[in-house]
Structures are given as structure tokens and as C-alpha cells.
Amino acid sequence: MSLLPGERKGRPMHSHDMKPYEVVKEYGAEELKDDELLAVFIRTGTKEKNAVEVAGQILDGFPERNLLGLCHIPWKELMKIPGIGEVKAIKLKCLAELARRISVTEAKKGLKFDRPATIWQYYKERLRHEERERVILIMLDQKLNMICDAVLSIGTVRECIVSPRELFLMALKEKAVQIMLLHNHPSGDPEPSRADLEITERVRLLGAMLEIPLVDHIIIGDKTYCSLREKGYLAK
């Protein structure tokens, strides 16, 4: 079967000895394995290991052995791996940040503030690799368009303190008509804690008094989210 213009044939099983550059030229970058993809940016290895093997050693250090590990490993830790110097470590961190920003840009296209799933898609890359809780205030206009967002608080792994007073002063300053709260759980489990429910209720009541309603409070997990409105913790 002949290929269409611009179409590439799939990579055969016996091509494992090919260098990454050769694979890209022959079959396309999408055919590269994770270690081969990293090897393109590492370029050179050591006397004992080639670039692909060095890349494999980097991946072996991540719990799920995938490229997401680059997002939360300090660049100085990468330098502990033979073959990774300061320049390569920084390049790899920049690669991870580039991938994160591309993901955020793509998610923003479908962002709808009346659809919690799209909010999770947009903010998850920003928050799910954080080792401490971050609480974000999203300020909205009457039509649920975002005016701006701001980090309210950065806490420890176990707690993050939010001041309702500071929250509404910021909302009033930005002339928000509605607000939304969003924070991450570093554990990866988005189920709300008692403290989450208590602060949500305080903000909801104060917002009702000030006529700046709390639209939702969304908790970001590693692979999913929890909308307190969808769970019934916020009156519709």
C-alpha cells in the first residue's frame, strides 16, 4: 500500500538499534520511546552509557517511569546522574516547563467556568506537581468570564490557611461579581477535608452577604478533581 503525501509508515519492531535522530527521519518523532526522546536533548552519554541509556537511568528514578517526573525533580538532583551536567540538567527542566505550558495553552481553549472538568484540565498542570497546597482565587464577571486569578495562600503539605477577609478585599479590588476557589491536594486525592468544607462554608456565607457569590470550590488531584458544587456542598 502506498503512503499518502506527508504520511509516515509505522516503526517496525526490529528498529530498536536505530539512533533517535534516524527514527525521527524515517518514522516520525511520535515513534520515539520516552528514553529516546530524552536522549535527543541529552545528545551525548558517558564512556559506559550512551545517551539513550543515560535517559533511561533518569526515567528509572521516577515512580511511574514517565516524563512527568521531570516536572518536579530539581535540576541539581538531575546532575547526580552520570552524564548530566549543569547545562543538560537545565535544558531538561526547560523541556518539562515547555511541555507544561503547551498543555496549559491547549487546555485554555476549552476552559468554561460552568464546567468543572475544563477548569481541572486547565489548572492541573499548574498544580498537580506542587508539594504544598496552593489556594487560588478565580475572579469572574457576571457571565462567568475570568477577570483574573491570584494565589491566596501557600501552605504545608497538611494545611493551607485562607483569610476570607483578604479574599474578598482582592475580589472587590478587581470588581469581581462572582468568585471561585481552587486548590490542590499534594496527596493526589481530591476528596475534601473537614477544613476544606469549613472554609468553603465561611466564604459562601460571606459572599452571599457581600453579593459576590461563591460559584464553586474545586480541589485538584493528580488524575481527577472534586467540585464541591457537584458534590452538593454548595447550594445551587
mmCIF file of all heavy atoms in Angstrom, residues 161-211:
data_model
loop_
_atom_site.group_PDB
_atom_site.id
_atom_site.type_symbol
_atom_site.label_atom_id
_atom_site.label_comp_id
_atom_site.label_asym_id
_atom_site.label_seq_id
_atom_site.Cartn_x
_atom_site.Cartn_y
_atom_site.Cartn_z
ATOM 1 N N ILE A 161 -3.734 27.967 55.021
ATOM 2 C CA ILE A 161 -4.632 28.898 55.696
ATOM 3 C C ILE A 161 -5.131 29.956 54.719
ATOM 4 O O ILE A 161 -4.358 30.587 54.012
ATOM 5 C CB ILE A 161 -3.925 29.567 56.883
ATOM 6 C CG1 ILE A 161 -3.460 28.492 57.877
ATOM 7 C CG2 ILE A 161 -4.834 30.569 57.564
ATOM 8 C CD1 ILE A 161 -2.576 29.016 58.978
ATOM 9 N N VAL A 162 -6.449 30.137 54.680
ATOM 10 C CA VAL A 162 -7.062 31.137 53.807
ATOM 11 C C VAL A 162 -7.787 32.163 54.669
ATOM 12 O O VAL A 162 -8.543 31.813 55.564
ATOM 13 C CB VAL A 162 -8.069 30.474 52.843
ATOM 14 C CG1 VAL A 162 -8.726 31.528 51.970
ATOM 15 C CG2 VAL A 162 -7.376 29.441 51.985
ATOM 16 N N SER A 163 -7.561 33.429 54.384
ATOM 17 C CA SER A 163 -8.247 34.502 55.086
ATOM 18 C C SER A 163 -9.412 34.998 54.228
ATOM 19 O O SER A 163 -9.184 35.580 53.159
ATOM 20 C CB SER A 163 -7.290 35.663 55.368
ATOM 21 O OG SER A 163 -8.000 36.817 55.748
ATOM 22 N N PRO A 164 -10.676 34.756 54.650
ATOM 23 C CA PRO A 164 -11.820 35.274 53.882
ATOM 24 C C PRO A 164 -11.752 36.785 53.700
ATOM 25 O O PRO A 164 -12.162 37.313 52.668
ATOM 26 C CB PRO A 164 -13.021 34.854 54.734
ATOM 27 C CG PRO A 164 -12.560 33.641 55.465
ATOM 28 C CD PRO A 164 -11.105 33.924 55.786
ATOM 29 N N ARG A 165 -11.241 37.491 54.701
ATOM 30 C CA ARG A 165 -11.130 38.952 54.605
ATOM 31 C C ARG A 165 -10.224 39.335 53.440
ATOM 32 O O ARG A 165 -10.578 40.177 52.613
ATOM 33 C CB ARG A 165 -10.580 39.522 55.916
ATOM 34 C CG ARG A 165 -10.367 41.031 55.895
ATOM 35 C CD ARG A 165 -9.845 41.511 57.249
ATOM 36 N NE ARG A 165 -9.598 42.946 57.242
ATOM 37 C CZ ARG A 165 -8.478 43.526 56.793
ATOM 38 N NH1 ARG A 165 -7.505 42.757 56.313
ATOM 39 N NH2 ARG A 165 -8.345 44.845 56.816
ATOM 40 N N GLU A 166 -9.054 38.714 53.371
ATOM 41 C CA GLU A 166 -8.112 39.005 52.282
ATOM 42 C C GLU A 166 -8.713 38.619 50.941
ATOM 43 O O GLU A 166 -8.554 39.323 49.936
ATOM 44 C CB GLU A 166 -6.810 38.232 52.516
ATOM 45 C CG GLU A 166 -5.763 38.434 51.436
ATOM 46 C CD GLU A 166 -4.525 37.584 51.659
ATOM 47 O OE1 GLU A 166 -4.376 37.015 52.764
ATOM 48 O OE2 GLU A 166 -3.705 37.485 50.729
ATOM 49 N N LEU A 167 -9.428 37.504 50.928
ATOM 50 C CA LEU A 167 -10.048 37.010 49.706
ATOM 51 C C LEU A 167 -11.018 38.034 49.123
ATOM 52 O O LEU A 167 -10.936 38.383 47.936
ATOM 53 C CB LEU A 167 -10.761 35.698 50.040
ATOM 54 C CG LEU A 167 -11.438 34.889 48.946
ATOM 55 C CD1 LEU A 167 -11.575 33.435 49.414
ATOM 56 C CD2 LEU A 167 -12.819 35.424 48.602
ATOM 57 N N PHE A 168 -11.925 38.548 49.950
ATOM 58 C CA PHE A 168 -12.938 39.464 49.435
ATOM 59 C C PHE A 168 -12.389 40.873 49.184
ATOM 60 O O PHE A 168 -12.910 41.592 48.332
ATOM 61 C CB PHE A 168 -14.152 39.493 50.354
ATOM 62 C CG PHE A 168 -15.045 38.305 50.140
ATOM 63 C CD1 PHE A 168 -15.015 37.237 51.028
ATOM 64 C CD2 PHE A 168 -15.877 38.231 49.036
ATOM 65 C CE1 PHE A 168 -15.822 36.132 50.817
ATOM 66 C CE2 PHE A 168 -16.680 37.123 48.814
ATOM 67 C CZ PHE A 168 -16.653 36.061 49.709
ATOM 68 N N LEU A 169 -11.352 41.267 49.902
ATOM 69 C CA LEU A 169 -10.701 42.540 49.581
ATOM 70 C C LEU A 169 -10.118 42.493 48.172
ATOM 71 O O LEU A 169 -10.215 43.453 47.402
ATOM 72 C CB LEU A 169 -9.601 42.845 50.601
ATOM 73 C CG LEU A 169 -10.049 43.360 51.971
ATOM 74 C CD1 LEU A 169 -8.854 43.486 52.907
ATOM 75 C CD2 LEU A 169 -10.750 44.723 51.823
ATOM 76 N N MET A 170 -9.530 41.357 47.835
ATOM 77 C CA MET A 170 -8.970 41.185 46.494
ATOM 78 C C MET A 170 -10.073 41.158 45.449
ATOM 79 O O MET A 170 -9.957 41.772 44.377
ATOM 80 C CB MET A 170 -8.151 39.893 46.443
ATOM 81 C CG MET A 170 -7.319 39.723 45.186
ATOM 82 S SD MET A 170 -6.295 38.227 45.260
ATOM 83 C CE MET A 170 -5.229 38.620 46.648
ATOM 84 N N ALA A 171 -11.165 40.449 45.747
ATOM 85 C CA ALA A 171 -12.285 40.369 44.800
ATOM 86 C C ALA A 171 -12.910 41.736 44.555
ATOM 87 O O ALA A 171 -13.241 42.088 43.413
ATOM 88 C CB ALA A 171 -13.331 39.385 45.330
ATOM 89 N N LEU A 172 -13.066 42.511 45.610
ATOM 90 C CA LEU A 172 -13.626 43.861 45.472
ATOM 91 C C LEU A 172 -12.693 44.763 44.676
ATOM 92 O O LEU A 172 -13.142 45.576 43.860
ATOM 93 C CB LEU A 172 -13.884 44.454 46.860
ATOM 94 C CG LEU A 172 -15.060 43.834 47.627
ATOM 95 C CD1 LEU A 172 -15.015 44.261 49.093
ATOM 96 C CD2 LEU A 172 -16.392 44.240 46.981
ATOM 97 N N LYS A 173 -11.406 44.620 44.913
ATOM 98 C CA LYS A 173 -10.421 45.439 44.186
ATOM 99 C C LYS A 173 -10.496 45.181 42.686
ATOM 100 O O LYS A 173 -10.373 46.094 41.871
ATOM 101 C CB LYS A 173 -9.019 45.137 44.706
ATOM 102 C CG LYS A 173 -7.924 45.929 44.017
ATOM 103 C CD LYS A 173 -6.550 45.551 44.555
ATOM 104 C CE LYS A 173 -5.454 46.303 43.822
ATOM 105 N NZ LYS A 173 -4.102 45.919 44.308
ATOM 106 N N GLU A 174 -10.719 43.912 42.313
ATOM 107 C CA GLU A 174 -10.769 43.541 40.893
ATOM 108 C C GLU A 174 -12.178 43.659 40.311
ATOM 109 O O GLU A 174 -12.411 43.293 39.160
ATOM 110 C CB GLU A 174 -10.252 42.107 40.715
ATOM 111 C CG GLU A 174 -8.809 41.902 41.141
ATOM 112 C CD GLU A 174 -7.827 42.696 40.297
ATOM 113 O OE1 GLU A 174 -8.185 43.062 39.146
ATOM 114 O OE2 GLU A 174 -6.703 42.933 40.773
ATOM 115 N N LYS A 175 -13.130 44.128 41.146
ATOM 116 C CA LYS A 175 -14.523 44.312 40.722
ATOM 117 C C LYS A 175 -15.160 43.008 40.250
ATOM 118 O O LYS A 175 -15.928 42.970 39.267
ATOM 119 C CB LYS A 175 -14.613 45.382 39.633
ATOM 120 C CG LYS A 175 -14.122 46.751 40.093
ATOM 121 C CD LYS A 175 -14.241 47.792 39.007
ATOM 122 C CE LYS A 175 -13.733 49.156 39.495
ATOM 123 N NZ LYS A 175 -13.822 50.201 38.445
ATOM 124 N N ALA A 176 -14.832 41.943 40.975
ATOM 125 C CA ALA A 176 -15.414 40.638 40.647
ATOM 126 C C ALA A 176 -16.884 40.611 41.045
ATOM 127 O O ALA A 176 -17.274 41.154 42.074
ATOM 128 C CB ALA A 176 -14.655 39.541 41.367
ATOM 129 N N VAL A 177 -17.685 39.967 40.228
ATOM 130 C CA VAL A 177 -19.112 39.806 40.502
ATOM 131 C C VAL A 177 -19.368 38.420 41.106
ATOM 132 O O VAL A 177 -20.315 38.226 41.864
ATOM 133 C CB VAL A 177 -19.929 39.992 39.211
ATOM 134 C CG1 VAL A 177 -21.417 39.808 39.464
ATOM 135 C CG2 VAL A 177 -19.656 41.382 38.622
ATOM 136 N N GLN A 178 -18.529 37.472 40.760
ATOM 137 C CA GLN A 178 -18.605 36.110 41.277
ATOM 138 C C GLN A 178 -17.174 35.622 41.508
ATOM 139 O O GLN A 178 -16.223 36.133 40.903
ATOM 140 C CB GLN A 178 -19.310 35.179 40.287
ATOM 141 C CG GLN A 178 -20.683 35.674 39.850
ATOM 142 C CD GLN A 178 -21.309 34.782 38.814
ATOM 143 O OE1 GLN A 178 -21.862 33.733 39.117
ATOM 144 N NE2 GLN A 178 -21.248 35.183 37.550
ATOM 145 N N ILE A 179 -17.026 34.635 42.364
ATOM 146 C CA ILE A 179 -15.688 34.098 42.638
ATOM 147 C C ILE A 179 -15.721 32.570 42.646
ATOM 148 O O ILE A 179 -16.782 31.951 42.765
ATOM 149 C CB ILE A 179 -15.116 34.595 43.981
ATOM 150 C CG1 ILE A 179 -16.054 34.194 45.126
ATOM 151 C CG2 ILE A 179 -14.855 36.087 43.958
ATOM 152 C CD1 ILE A 179 -15.452 34.430 46.504
ATOM 153 N N MET A 180 -14.547 32.004 42.531
ATOM 154 C CA MET A 180 -14.396 30.557 42.605
ATOM 155 C C MET A 180 -13.103 30.268 43.349
ATOM 156 O O MET A 180 -12.108 30.981 43.174
ATOM 157 C CB MET A 180 -14.347 29.965 41.189
ATOM 158 C CG MET A 180 -14.272 28.444 41.138
ATOM 159 S SD MET A 180 -14.309 27.837 39.422
ATOM 160 C CE MET A 180 -15.983 28.257 38.952
ATOM 161 N N LEU A 181 -13.107 29.246 44.192
ATOM 162 C CA LEU A 181 -11.894 28.814 44.880
ATOM 163 C C LEU A 181 -11.384 27.533 44.241
ATOM 164 O O LEU A 181 -12.172 26.696 43.766
ATOM 165 C CB LEU A 181 -12.173 28.555 46.363
ATOM 166 C CG LEU A 181 -12.300 29.775 47.274
ATOM 167 C CD1 LEU A 181 -12.678 29.329 48.684
ATOM 168 C CD2 LEU A 181 -11.009 30.574 47.309
ATOM 169 N N LEU A 182 -10.077 27.371 44.263
ATOM 170 C CA LEU A 182 -9.458 26.184 43.691
ATOM 171 C C LEU A 182 -8.167 25.905 44.446
ATOM 172 O O LEU A 182 -7.392 26.823 44.726
ATOM 173 C CB LEU A 182 -9.191 26.426 42.207
ATOM 174 C CG LEU A 182 -8.606 25.283 41.386
ATOM 175 C CD1 LEU A 182 -9.231 25.284 39.994
ATOM 176 C CD2 LEU A 182 -7.097 25.412 41.276
ATOM 177 N N HIS A 183 -7.965 24.678 44.835
ATOM 178 C CA HIS A 183 -6.681 24.340 45.451
ATOM 179 C C HIS A 183 -6.332 22.883 45.171
ATOM 180 O O HIS A 183 -7.171 22.090 44.748
ATOM 181 C CB HIS A 183 -6.676 24.649 46.951
ATOM 182 C CG HIS A 183 -7.338 23.633 47.820
ATOM 183 N ND1 HIS A 183 -8.710 23.567 47.993
ATOM 184 C CD2 HIS A 183 -6.822 22.636 48.576
ATOM 185 C CE1 HIS A 183 -9.004 22.592 48.825
ATOM 186 N NE2 HIS A 183 -7.880 21.996 49.196
ATOM 187 N N ASN A 184 -5.084 22.551 45.389
ATOM 188 C CA ASN A 184 -4.596 21.199 45.126
ATOM 189 C C ASN A 184 -4.414 20.414 46.412
ATOM 190 O O ASN A 184 -4.229 20.984 47.491
ATOM 191 C CB ASN A 184 -3.257 21.263 44.396
ATOM 192 C CG ASN A 184 -2.180 21.932 45.228
ATOM 193 O OD1 ASN A 184 -2.359 23.040 45.736
ATOM 194 N ND2 ASN A 184 -1.050 21.262 45.406
ATOM 195 N N HIS A 185 -4.467 19.113 46.288
ATOM 196 C CA HIS A 185 -4.096 18.210 47.367
ATOM 197 C C HIS A 185 -2.831 17.474 46.931
ATOM 198 O O HIS A 185 -2.887 16.655 46.006
ATOM 199 C CB HIS A 185 -5.212 17.204 47.656
ATOM 200 C CG HIS A 185 -6.293 17.737 48.525
ATOM 201 N ND1 HIS A 185 -7.405 17.000 48.880
ATOM 202 C CD2 HIS A 185 -6.440 18.950 49.139
ATOM 203 C CE1 HIS A 185 -8.182 17.719 49.663
ATOM 204 N NE2 HIS A 185 -7.626 18.911 49.827
ATOM 205 N N PRO A 186 -1.688 17.778 47.551
ATOM 206 C CA PRO A 186 -0.438 17.120 47.157
ATOM 207 C C PRO A 186 -0.488 15.592 47.242
ATOM 208 O O PRO A 186 0.262 14.909 46.552
ATOM 209 C CB PRO A 186 0.581 17.689 48.148
ATOM 210 C CG PRO A 186 0.025 19.020 48.516
ATOM 211 C CD PRO A 186 -1.455 18.819 48.562
ATOM 212 N N SER A 187 -1.384 15.054 48.053
ATOM 213 C CA SER A 187 -1.522 13.601 48.159
ATOM 214 C C SER A 187 -2.055 12.983 46.871
ATOM 215 O O SER A 187 -1.903 11.780 46.633
ATOM 216 C CB SER A 187 -2.474 13.255 49.311
ATOM 217 O OG SER A 187 -3.799 13.687 49.012
ATOM 218 N N GLY A 188 -2.696 13.817 46.035
ATOM 219 C CA GLY A 188 -3.299 13.321 44.800
ATOM 220 C C GLY A 188 -4.762 12.966 44.950
ATOM 221 O O GLY A 188 -5.471 12.783 43.967
ATOM 222 N N ASP A 189 -5.242 12.851 46.199
ATOM 223 C CA ASP A 189 -6.646 12.522 46.470
ATOM 224 C C ASP A 189 -7.440 13.815 46.634
ATOM 225 O O ASP A 189 -7.200 14.580 47.562
ATOM 226 C CB ASP A 189 -6.728 11.691 47.756
ATOM 227 C CG ASP A 189 -8.163 11.275 48.084
ATOM 228 O OD1 ASP A 189 -9.085 11.635 47.324
ATOM 229 O OD2 ASP A 189 -8.352 10.599 49.113
ATOM 230 N N PRO A 190 -8.414 14.090 45.755
ATOM 231 C CA PRO A 190 -9.129 15.372 45.795
ATOM 232 C C PRO A 190 -10.312 15.422 46.762
ATOM 233 O O PRO A 190 -11.018 16.430 46.801
ATOM 234 C CB PRO A 190 -9.608 15.524 44.361
ATOM 235 C CG PRO A 190 -9.889 14.123 43.927
ATOM 236 C CD PRO A 190 -8.831 13.269 44.598
ATOM 237 N N GLU A 191 -10.561 14.362 47.514
ATOM 238 C CA GLU A 191 -11.698 14.381 48.433
ATOM 239 C C GLU A 191 -11.526 15.500 49.463
ATOM 240 O O GLU A 191 -10.439 15.672 50.026
ATOM 241 C CB GLU A 191 -11.843 13.033 49.138
ATOM 242 C CG GLU A 191 -12.459 11.959 48.261
ATOM 243 C CD GLU A 191 -13.835 12.372 47.729
ATOM 244 O OE1 GLU A 191 -14.706 12.696 48.548
ATOM 245 O OE2 GLU A 191 -14.020 12.365 46.506
ATOM 246 N N PRO A 192 -12.580 16.278 49.730
ATOM 247 C CA PRO A 192 -12.459 17.429 50.637
ATOM 248 C C PRO A 192 -12.268 17.010 52.090
ATOM 249 O O PRO A 192 -12.874 16.039 52.563
ATOM 250 C CB PRO A 192 -13.801 18.151 50.456
ATOM 251 C CG PRO A 192 -14.746 17.088 50.009
ATOM 252 C CD PRO A 192 -13.947 16.150 49.172
ATOM 253 N N SER A 193 -11.421 17.751 52.798
ATOM 254 C CA SER A 193 -11.230 17.544 54.225
ATOM 255 C C SER A 193 -12.273 18.358 54.988
ATOM 256 O O SER A 193 -12.994 19.173 54.405
ATOM 257 C CB SER A 193 -9.825 17.991 54.645
ATOM 258 O OG SER A 193 -9.699 19.392 54.469
ATOM 259 N N ARG A 194 -12.340 18.167 56.290
ATOM 260 C CA ARG A 194 -13.255 18.973 57.096
ATOM 261 C C ARG A 194 -12.888 20.450 56.989
ATOM 262 O O ARG A 194 -13.782 21.309 56.900
ATOM 263 C CB ARG A 194 -13.203 18.529 58.562
ATOM 264 C CG ARG A 194 -14.073 19.390 59.468
ATOM 265 C CD ARG A 194 -14.036 18.912 60.909
ATOM 266 N NE ARG A 194 -14.692 17.618 61.045
ATOM 267 C CZ ARG A 194 -14.827 17.001 62.217
ATOM 268 N NH1 ARG A 194 -14.335 17.535 63.318
ATOM 269 N NH2 ARG A 194 -15.446 15.839 62.271
ATOM 270 N N ALA A 195 -11.583 20.750 57.003
ATOM 271 C CA ALA A 195 -11.144 22.145 56.879
ATOM 272 C C ALA A 195 -11.569 22.738 55.542
ATOM 273 O O ALA A 195 -11.962 23.906 55.466
ATOM 274 C CB ALA A 195 -9.632 22.231 57.042
ATOM 275 N N ASP A 196 -11.522 21.935 54.468
ATOM 276 C CA ASP A 196 -11.962 22.412 53.154
ATOM 277 C C ASP A 196 -13.443 22.798 53.189
ATOM 278 O O ASP A 196 -13.844 23.841 52.645
ATOM 279 C CB ASP A 196 -11.765 21.320 52.091
ATOM 280 C CG ASP A 196 -10.303 21.003 51.821
ATOM 281 O OD1 ASP A 196 -9.467 21.892 52.051
ATOM 282 O OD2 ASP A 196 -10.029 19.876 51.385
ATOM 283 N N LEU A 197 -14.239 21.965 53.812
ATOM 284 C CA LEU A 197 -15.673 22.224 53.879
ATOM 285 C C LEU A 197 -15.985 23.434 54.759
ATOM 286 O O LEU A 197 -16.867 24.238 54.426
ATOM 287 C CB LEU A 197 -16.404 20.987 54.409
ATOM 288 C CG LEU A 197 -16.291 19.724 53.548
ATOM 289 C CD1 LEU A 197 -17.023 18.566 54.211
ATOM 290 C CD2 LEU A 197 -16.813 19.961 52.137
ATOM 291 N N GLU A 198 -15.229 23.581 55.844
ATOM 292 C CA GLU A 198 -15.475 24.703 56.754
ATOM 293 C C GLU A 198 -15.137 26.032 56.090
ATOM 294 O O GLU A 198 -15.907 26.996 56.175
ATOM 295 C CB GLU A 198 -14.650 24.521 58.025
ATOM 296 C CG GLU A 198 -15.179 23.408 58.930
ATOM 297 C CD GLU A 198 -14.281 23.167 60.127
ATOM 298 O OE1 GLU A 198 -13.174 23.763 60.187
ATOM 299 O OE2 GLU A 198 -14.675 22.381 61.016
ATOM 300 N N ILE A 199 -13.987 26.116 55.417
ATOM 301 C CA ILE A 199 -13.604 27.380 54.790
ATOM 302 C C ILE A 199 -14.549 27.686 53.626
ATOM 303 O O ILE A 199 -14.884 28.847 53.363
ATOM 304 C CB ILE A 199 -12.135 27.364 54.315
ATOM 305 C CG1 ILE A 199 -11.688 28.777 53.937
ATOM 306 C CG2 ILE A 199 -11.926 26.418 53.148
ATOM 307 C CD1 ILE A 199 -11.632 29.744 55.074
ATOM 308 N N THR A 200 -15.012 26.643 52.941
ATOM 309 C CA THR A 200 -15.965 26.842 51.841
ATOM 310 C C THR A 200 -17.259 27.463 52.359
ATOM 311 O O THR A 200 -17.801 28.399 51.761
ATOM 312 C CB THR A 200 -16.269 25.496 51.145
ATOM 313 O OG1 THR A 200 -15.060 24.960 50.626
ATOM 314 C CG2 THR A 200 -17.256 25.696 50.003
ATOM 315 N N GLU A 201 -17.750 26.955 53.476
ATOM 316 C CA GLU A 201 -18.993 27.471 54.034
ATOM 317 C C GLU A 201 -18.826 28.914 54.517
ATOM 318 O O GLU A 201 -19.716 29.758 54.325
ATOM 319 C CB GLU A 201 -19.463 26.582 55.178
ATOM 320 C CG GLU A 201 -20.783 26.997 55.813
ATOM 321 C CD GLU A 201 -21.982 26.962 54.863
ATOM 322 O OE1 GLU A 201 -21.840 26.442 53.719
ATOM 323 O OE2 GLU A 201 -23.059 27.450 55.254
ATOM 324 N N ARG A 202 -17.684 29.219 55.116
ATOM 325 C CA ARG A 202 -17.434 30.592 55.565
ATOM 326 C C ARG A 202 -17.404 31.560 54.395
ATOM 327 O O ARG A 202 -17.991 32.646 54.443
ATOM 328 C CB ARG A 202 -16.120 30.656 56.339
ATOM 329 C CG ARG A 202 -16.156 30.004 57.713
ATOM 330 C CD ARG A 202 -14.777 29.940 58.310
ATOM 331 N NE ARG A 202 -14.200 31.268 58.504
ATOM 332 C CZ ARG A 202 -12.907 31.492 58.772
ATOM 333 N NH1 ARG A 202 -12.070 30.477 58.872
ATOM 334 N NH2 ARG A 202 -12.476 32.723 58.957
ATOM 335 N N VAL A 203 -16.720 31.169 53.337
ATOM 336 C CA VAL A 203 -16.631 32.030 52.156
ATOM 337 C C VAL A 203 -17.992 32.154 51.487
ATOM 338 O O VAL A 203 -18.378 33.232 51.021
ATOM 339 C CB VAL A 203 -15.572 31.481 51.165
ATOM 340 C CG1 VAL A 203 -15.621 32.256 49.845
ATOM 341 C CG2 VAL A 203 -14.173 31.565 51.770
ATOM 342 N N ARG A 204 -18.750 31.061 51.446
ATOM 343 C CA ARG A 204 -20.081 31.102 50.832
ATOM 344 C C ARG A 204 -20.989 32.085 51.563
ATOM 345 O O ARG A 204 -21.671 32.908 50.933
ATOM 346 C CB ARG A 204 -20.703 29.710 50.847
ATOM 347 C CG ARG A 204 -22.047 29.642 50.116
ATOM 348 C CD ARG A 204 -22.736 28.321 50.334
ATOM 349 N NE ARG A 204 -23.253 28.199 51.695
ATOM 350 C CZ ARG A 204 -24.383 28.746 52.121
ATOM 351 N NH1 ARG A 204 -25.135 29.486 51.311
ATOM 352 N NH2 ARG A 204 -24.778 28.583 53.380
ATOM 353 N N LEU A 205 -20.998 32.021 52.887
ATOM 354 C CA LEU A 205 -21.864 32.894 53.673
ATOM 355 C C LEU A 205 -21.463 34.356 53.539
ATOM 356 O O LEU A 205 -22.309 35.236 53.367
ATOM 357 C CB LEU A 205 -21.824 32.471 55.147
ATOM 358 C CG LEU A 205 -22.492 31.126 55.464
ATOM 359 C CD1 LEU A 205 -22.226 30.740 56.916
ATOM 360 C CD2 LEU A 205 -23.983 31.173 55.177
ATOM 361 N N LEU A 206 -20.156 34.611 53.611
ATOM 362 C CA LEU A 206 -19.680 35.991 53.487
ATOM 363 C C LEU A 206 -19.940 36.525 52.080
ATOM 364 O O LEU A 206 -20.310 37.690 51.896
ATOM 365 C CB LEU A 206 -18.192 36.063 53.829
ATOM 366 C CG LEU A 206 -17.567 37.455 53.955
ATOM 367 C CD1 LEU A 206 -18.369 38.335 54.908
ATOM 368 C CD2 LEU A 206 -16.117 37.348 54.409
ATOM 369 N N GLY A 207 -19.759 35.677 51.075
ATOM 370 C CA GLY A 207 -20.025 36.082 49.698
ATOM 371 C C GLY A 207 -21.485 36.444 49.481
ATOM 372 O O GLY A 207 -21.797 37.385 48.745
ATOM 373 N N ALA A 208 -22.369 35.679 50.112
ATOM 374 C CA ALA A 208 -23.800 35.974 49.997
ATOM 375 C C ALA A 208 -24.122 37.337 50.602
ATOM 376 O O ALA A 208 -24.933 38.100 50.052
ATOM 377 C CB ALA A 208 -24.612 34.878 50.685
ATOM 378 N N MET A 209 -23.481 37.667 51.720
ATOM 379 C CA MET A 209 -23.705 38.961 52.365
ATOM 380 C C MET A 209 -23.197 40.103 51.508
ATOM 381 O O MET A 209 -23.819 41.169 51.423
ATOM 382 C CB MET A 209 -23.019 38.980 53.729
ATOM 383 C CG MET A 209 -23.645 38.055 54.764
ATOM 384 S SD MET A 209 -22.667 37.989 56.281
ATOM 385 C CE MET A 209 -22.742 39.715 56.777
ATOM 386 N N LEU A 210 -22.063 39.880 50.842
ATOM 387 C CA LEU A 210 -21.453 40.934 50.021
ATOM 388 C C LEU A 210 -21.963 40.930 48.585
ATOM 389 O O LEU A 210 -21.532 41.749 47.770
ATOM 390 C CB LEU A 210 -19.919 40.759 50.011
ATOM 391 C CG LEU A 210 -19.218 40.961 51.349
ATOM 392 C CD1 LEU A 210 -17.733 40.584 51.234
ATOM 393 C CD2 LEU A 210 -19.347 42.407 51.804
ATOM 394 N N GLU A 211 -22.841 40.004 48.271
ATOM 395 C CA GLU A 211 -23.390 39.849 46.904
ATOM 396 C C GLU A 211 -22.286 39.540 45.897
ATOM 397 O O GLU A 211 -22.295 40.003 44.759
ATOM 398 C CB GLU A 211 -24.193 41.087 46.488
ATOM 399 C CG GLU A 211 -25.413 41.337 47.370
ATOM 400 C CD GLU A 211 -26.246 42.512 46.900
ATOM 401 O OE1 GLU A 211 -25.762 43.310 46.086
ATOM 402 O OE2 GLU A 211 -27.407 42.625 47.348
#
